[in-house]
Amino acid sequence: MPFFTQRRDQGVFDIGGPLMTCISSRHWQWVSGPTEAHSYAANVPPTPDEPSAEKSLPRETPSSSGTDEAGSRPASVFRHRVVGPFRKIVGLDAIQPASSVAVLHGDEKEAPGLNKAENVQLRAIRRFGAAGTILMAVGALGAGAQPVLQNPVVGVRILSLPSRMATTALTVTMTGTVMVVIAWLLLGRFAVGRFRDGNVPRRLTRSQLDRTLLLWILPLCVAPPMFSRDVYSYLAQSEITARGLDPYAIGPAGALGVDNVLTRTVPNIWRDTPAPYGPLFLWMGRGITWLTGENIVAGIFLHRLLALAGVALIVWALPRLAKRCGVAAVSALWLGAANPLLLFHLVAGIHNEALMIGLMLAGTELALRAIESAEPIHGVKLALLLSGAGLIALSSTVKIPSLIALGFVGMALARRWGGSIRGVACAAALLGVVSIVIIGGVSAVSGLGFGWIGTLGTAGVVRSWMSIPTILGLGTGFTGVLLGLGDHTTAVLGLTRPIAAVVAGFVALRMLVAVMKGRLHPVGALGVSLAALVLLFPVVQPWYLLWAVTPLAAWATKPSFRVPAIVFSSIVSVILMPNGSEYLPFQIVQAAIMTILIIGVMYLTTRRRMPWRANTGPEESGVPAEEYAGSS
C-alpha cells in the first residue's frame, strides 16, 4: 500500500517551485509500501506520521465544573453537533478504514495464453464478429443515418438496392448488430472468464484482442453513419464557425438557412439550437469545413477520423490504467474498448465522446505516472503531471463533463503532499492554473470565446428515458394525467432534476474525499462519480454510459459491476434503430422476427465450431501471460 513518509527539509515540496512554499516547511515524499501502487483498497494502514483510528478519536473528558453538554462552551457544542456529523457525512472522519465502493475492486491475476483448441475458437469468434460488422455496413446503405442530400449511393445499381428495401436493410443491420454483441460476449469468456469462481484458466493475449478489435472496426469505418444523426449537426455547426458567425448564439437554420445542404440533414430538434460543444471541437470542425466545404461525405469521413483518434487514445490508456489498478489489461480493453456501445456509437455513430474520453483517460494516465512515482516531481515527472492535467483540460473543451477527472488527479496529488487543507489548496491552485491556461487559451485562440459555457444545458430539451430524474418526472406527470390531476410533468422535472444534481454532486464530493484519504484509487473514484453524473443527468444518451464504463473497466473487477455493465451494454446496443430515428412498428416486428430466425440458423450451423458452451481443455505451458504477440 503506498503511503507517505515525512522528513524535515529546508523549505519546499518535491516539485520545486515557489507555489509549494505556501504549504509548510516539510517535504513529503511518495514511497512504496508493502504492496503495489494500485492497492488503494479496503484498509489503508496508518503511516508512522498519521494518527491511527484509535488515536484520532476525540476523548471525552469531564469538565472541571461537572456540568453536562448543555453547560459546555458553544464552540464545543458546535463541533460536536455540526462539524462532527458533517465530517462523517462527507467522509473526513479518520475512523473510516475504506470507501464502501471499494468492494467493486479486487486485484486480478494475469493468466497464461490460450491453448490450441481455444485459439481455434477465438478465430471463429473473430470471424463471426467481423461478419456481423460487414452486415451492419451493408445494411446501413439502406437503414443507416443517410444524408438527405448528397447521398453517394443514390442511383448506383447495386449500392442503392438496400435503400429500396427498407425492411430487408433493417433486418440485415439488426442481424449484424446481434452477431457483434454475441461475438463480444463469447470473446469475454477468454478475456474475463466465468463469474462463478472469478478465475480465468487462460486469457487471450493483448495482440489477439487488438487484432480482433481492429478487424471489427474496419467495416464500420467505411459504413454510413448509424444510430445517430449528430454528425450532421457537427458539420452544420462547423460551417457556421467557418463563416465567422457565433455557433453559440444561433442555430443552423438561422445561420445557414433552412434550404442549405447541411441544414437539411440536421434533425429538426437541433436546427434552431446553438452548439452545446466546446471550442476545441468546433475549432477542429472549422478546419474540416475548410478542407471539405459543403461536401457531406468527405466531412463525415474526417469527423470519423477524429473519433478513431479518440478510440486510439482509449486503447492506449486503458491497459496502462488497468495495470496501475491491478486489473488485467485484456479484461479492461474487452469491457471498455471492444464494448459494442463504443463500436456502434463512437465509431459507427461518430460521436465526439470518443475524443473526450480518449483525452481524459490519456491525461489521467500521464498525471498518475508522476503522482504515483517514487521519484520527486520535478523535471520529467513535472512535465508528465502538467501535460496530463493539460490533456484533461483539453478534453473538457470538447465536452465539459471530463473536467471532473482533474479533481481526482488533484486529490491524489494533495494526498501525496500530506492530505491537509494546504495540500488540497496548493494542488487546486496548480491544476487550476493549468486548466485556466488551456481552456482560456483554446477559447481565445479559436476565436469562439466563452459562449459555449452558456449553451451547456442545450441538450436538456430532450426527455430521455434513461435519465433517472427525467423518468421520475415523466412517470409522475403521466400518473397525474391518469388520475385526472392534470399534466404536471414540467413542474415535477423542475424539482427532480435539481435534486438529482445535488445528489450527483454529493457522490462526487465523497469520492474526492475518499481519494484524498487513500481509501479509493483515483481511477475508480472517477468512474463512480461519472456513473452518478450520467444516471442523474437530465439527459442520458446510450453512448453517455461509456463515460463511466470506460474508466471503471480499468478498476472495477467484481461481478456486482461487470455483470450489470455487460447486460446493460448488450441490451442497449441492440434496441436502438440504426437510422437514428424510428421505423414503422410493422417493419421493426418483421425485422426482429427474421433476425431471431437467422441467429437460430447460425447457432445450428456453427455449434461445433463456435464456443457456445464453455469447454476449457487442459492448460498448455509455454504461452506466457504477458505475451503481446499471440498466434491467432
Side-chain angles (χ1 to χ4, degrees):
M1 184 71 61
F3 57 93
F4 297 97
T5 59
Q6 184 182 16
R7 63 182 178 83
R8 299 282 182 177
D9 203 273
Q10 295 299 320
V12 297
F13 274 90
D14 55 355
I15 71 167
L19 176 65
M20 296 306 107
T21 60
C22 71
I23 301 180
S24 71
S25 62
R26 296 180 176 183
H27 182 164
W28 294 87
Q29 187 177 14
W30 181 270
V31 299
S32 299
T35 60
E36 296 295 329
H38 60 260
S39 300
Y40 272 70
N43 294 314
V44 179
T47 66
D49 296 289
E50 290 180 346
S52 64
E54 292 78 7
K55 293 180 181 179
S56 62
L57 289 172
R59 296 182 179 179
E60 297 183 1
T61 56
S63 60
S64 57
S65 60
T67 59
D68 58 8
E69 183 180 301
S72 62
R73 293 177 298 174
S76 177
V77 174
F78 179 78
R79 284 196 301 268
H80 179 71
R81 293 186 176 181
V82 179
V83 177
F86 174 78
R87 289 175 60 87
K88 185 175 182 180
I89 290 173
V90 300
L92 286 171
D93 52 320
I95 63 173
Q96 293 186 12
S99 172
S100 58
V101 300
V103 298
L104 298 176
H105 171 76
D107 286 355
E108 192 172 51
K109 297 180 180 179
E110 293 290 349
L114 304 179
N115 60 28
K116 184 177 179 179
E118 289 166 340
N119 278 321
V120 172
Q121 294 176 339
L122 173 62
R123 287 192 289 268
I125 294 173
R126 183 183 296 160
R127 290 192 294 266
F128 192 79
T133 56
I134 292 173
L135 287 179
M136 290 178 65
V138 172
L141 295 174
Q146 301 277 23
V148 175
L149 301 176
Q150 297 186 12
N151 190 334
V153 303
V154 172
V156 181
R157 288 186 176 180
I158 297 178
L159 295 181
S160 64
L161 188 61
S163 63
R164 298 196 295 269
M165 299 184 297
T167 304
T168 302
L170 179 59
T171 301
V172 172
T173 308
M174 290 178 65
T175 301
T177 300
V178 175
M179 288 176 64
V180 174
V181 172
I182 291 175
W184 178 66
L185 294 174
L186 294 176
L187 186 66
R189 186 174 296 155
F190 298 139
V192 176
R194 299 181 299 274
F195 292 111
R196 291 194 300 272
D197 50 15
N199 296 322
V200 184
R202 289 167 297 280
R203 184 178 282 122
L204 75 164
T205 62
R206 168 71 190 280
S207 67
Q208 288 175 324
L209 182 57
D210 286 347
R211 290 199 296 273
T212 302
L213 181 59
L214 181 62
L215 188 63
W216 292 357
I217 284 179
L218 283 177
L220 300 177
C221 293
V222 298
M226 284 183 276
F227 303 105
S228 174
R229 296 182 177 272
D230 281 4
V231 66
Y232 301 115
S233 295
Y234 300 166
L235 293 174
Q237 290 154 0
S238 299
E239 175 66 20
I240 296 172
T241 307
R243 293 187 181 187
L245 302 175
D246 187 359
Y248 302 123
I250 189 171
L256 307 178
V258 293
D259 293 327
N260 182 270
V261 63
L262 299 177
T263 306
R264 290 283 298 276
T265 313
V266 175
N268 291 333
I269 191 175
W270 306 124
R271 288 189 179 183
D272 297 305
T273 304
Y277 310 115
L280 175 64
F281 181 70
L282 292 184
W283 193 16
M284 292 186 293
R286 183 168 64 192
I288 291 175
T289 298
W290 181 80
L291 292 173
T292 64
E294 294 184 348
N295 189 317
I296 293 178
V297 176
I300 287 173
F301 277 106
L302 289 183
H303 271 283
R304 182 166 274 156
L305 286 179
L306 285 182
L308 290 174
V311 172
L313 287 174
I314 293 173
V315 173
W316 178 84
L318 259 185
R320 290 164 174 80
L321 290 172
K323 185 177 181 180
R324 192 173 299 282
C325 298
V327 176
V330 170
S331 298
L333 279 172
W334 172 79
L335 183 55
N339 194 307
L341 286 175
L342 186 145
L343 299 178
F344 297 167
H345 296 286
L346 301 193
V347 178
I350 322 178
H351 284 288
N352 55 11
E353 267 80 6
L355 197 59
M356 181 198 80
I357 297 173
L359 289 171
M360 178 186 70
L361 294 182
T364 302
E365 164 60 21
L366 293 179
L368 291 180
R369 283 188 184 183
I371 295 172
E372 294 186 351
S373 171
E375 303 174 9
I377 305 179
H378 59 72
V380 175
K381 297 300 180 183
L382 179 58
L384 284 174
L385 175 61
L386 297 179
S387 60
L391 285 179
I392 295 174
L394 203 62
S395 72
S396 70
T397 59
V398 177
K399 274 196 167 182
I400 195 66
S402 62
L403 191 62
I404 193 175
L406 206 59
F408 294 98
V409 168
M411 281 302 188
L413 183 62
R415 174 165 173 79
R416 173 166 179 154
W417 288 345
S420 63
I421 295 179
R422 290 183 176 180
V424 172
C426 285
L430 176 63
L431 300 184
V433 169
V434 173
S435 61
I436 291 173
V437 169
I438 296 296
I439 296 174
V442 171
S443 300
V445 175
S446 66
L448 295 171
F450 294 92
W452 60 288
I453 297 177
T455 64
L456 294 177
T458 297
V461 299
V462 178
R463 293 182 176 180
S464 171
W465 61 271
M466 297 178 64
S467 168
I468 293 177
T470 300
I471 197 63
L472 286 176
L474 294 176
T476 303
F478 180 71
T479 303
V481 172
L482 292 179
L483 296 177
L485 302 177
D487 187 359
H488 302 287
T489 302
T490 302
V492 176
L493 287 175
L495 179 65
T496 58
R497 287 179 171 179
I499 293 175
V502 171
V503 174
F506 174 74
V507 172
L509 177 61
R510 287 278 301 191
M511 295 300 101
L512 288 169
V513 172
V515 172
M516 184 188 68
K517 291 292 186 179
R519 299 167 184 154
L520 206 60
H521 194 279
V523 175
L526 170 63
V528 172
S529 298
L530 286 173
L533 177 65
V534 168
L535 295 177
L536 298 173
F537 208 57
V539 179
V540 180
Q541 301 290 0
W543 51 93
Y544 288 8
L545 299 175
L546 293 169
W547 299 1
V549 170
T550 309
L552 284 175
W555 175 78
T557 60
K558 297 300 183 181
S560 53
F561 162 71
R562 280 181 172 169
V563 171
I566 292 168
V567 171
F568 208 71
S569 297
S570 302
I571 293 175
V572 174
S573 296
V574 300
I575 64 174
L576 298 179
M577 292 298 101
N579 66 344
S581 58
E582 296 296 332
Y583 277 89
L584 296 174
F586 78 90
Q587 291 177 315
I588 298 175
V589 172
Q590 289 175 348
I593 293 174
M594 289 304 302
T595 297
I596 294 173
L597 293 176
I598 293 171
I599 295 298
V601 172
M602 287 184 178
Y603 168 76
L604 294 176
T605 56
T606 62
R607 66 184 186 276
R608 296 184 181 274
R609 288 175 290 177
M610 293 279 291
W612 296 100
R613 297 181 180 179
N615 183 20
T616 57
E619 182 175 337
E620 291 186 357
S621 59
V623 185
E626 298 291 341
E627 180 185 17
Y628 185 86
S631 59
S632 298

